[in-house]
Amino acid sequence: MVLLLKWLVMTVSIGIAAHLIPGVTVNGFLAALWVALILGVVNVLIRPILILVTLPINILTLGFFTFIINGALVLLVSAIVKGFEVKDFLTALIFSIVVSVINYLLNGIVHLLQRERLR
C-alpha cells in the first residue's frame, strides 16, 4: 500500500512539474504514471551504476555531477515513454530538480496526514 501511495505521489509531482516547466509535456495521467514507474525503475537499476562509474568526477565536483546524471536519466525516460517529452538537457535537469523538491514536499504532507490519522 505504501509503495502505491509513493507511486501516486511521484505521479502527481511529475504532473505538477510538467505543468510548471516549459519544454516538458506529459500527455495525461496515464503517461505520468508510466513516467513515474519507469523513472523509479531506472533510478533503482541504472543510477547506482552511473554514480559508481562517475565517482571520481562526482568527488571532484562535490556531488554536483549527480545532477547531470539525473538529467540524463530523465532524458532516457523521455525516450522510452510515449507521451512524455523533454525539449533538451537543461530542461531535463531543471525538471529533475523540480520533481525532487515537489516530491519531497508532497511526501512530507502525506507523512503528516498519516501521523494525524494514527492519533
Side-chain angles (χ1 to χ4, degrees):
M1 184 68 177
V2 173
L3 188 62
L4 289 175
L5 186 60
K6 287 186 181 273
W7 184 25
L8 184 62
V9 167
M10 182 64 162
T11 302
V12 171
S13 300
I14 288 169
I16 292 171
H19 182 72
L20 293 175
I21 301 170
V24 178
T25 55
V26 177
N27 296 333
F29 187 73
L30 187 60
L33 276 171
W34 278 110
V35 171
L37 179 68
I38 300 299
L39 193 58
V41 169
V42 164
N43 278 333
V44 167
L45 297 177
I46 298 173
R47 188 172 184 264
I49 296 167
L50 289 175
I51 296 288
L52 186 63
V53 168
T54 61
L55 190 59
I57 194 165
N58 232 337
I59 291 171
L60 287 174
T61 62
L62 304 174
F64 285 109
F65 193 74
T66 306
F67 290 117
I68 304 299
I69 293 171
N70 291 342
L73 293 178
V74 167
L75 281 178
L76 174 67
V77 172
S78 75
I80 294 172
V81 178
K82 296 207 189 273
F84 176 59
E85 296 175 13
V86 180
K87 185 175 75 169
D88 56 11
F89 180 76
L90 183 60
T91 306
L93 183 66
I94 294 168
F95 178 79
S96 70
I97 293 168
V98 170
V99 165
S100 296
V101 170
I102 294 171
N103 198 36
Y104 174 77
L105 294 172
L106 289 179
N107 276 319
I109 292 169
V110 168
H111 181 70
L112 285 175
L113 291 174
Q114 286 177 338
R115 273 188 27 206
E116 286 296 319
R117 194 183 74 159
L118 292 175
R119 286 186 181 186

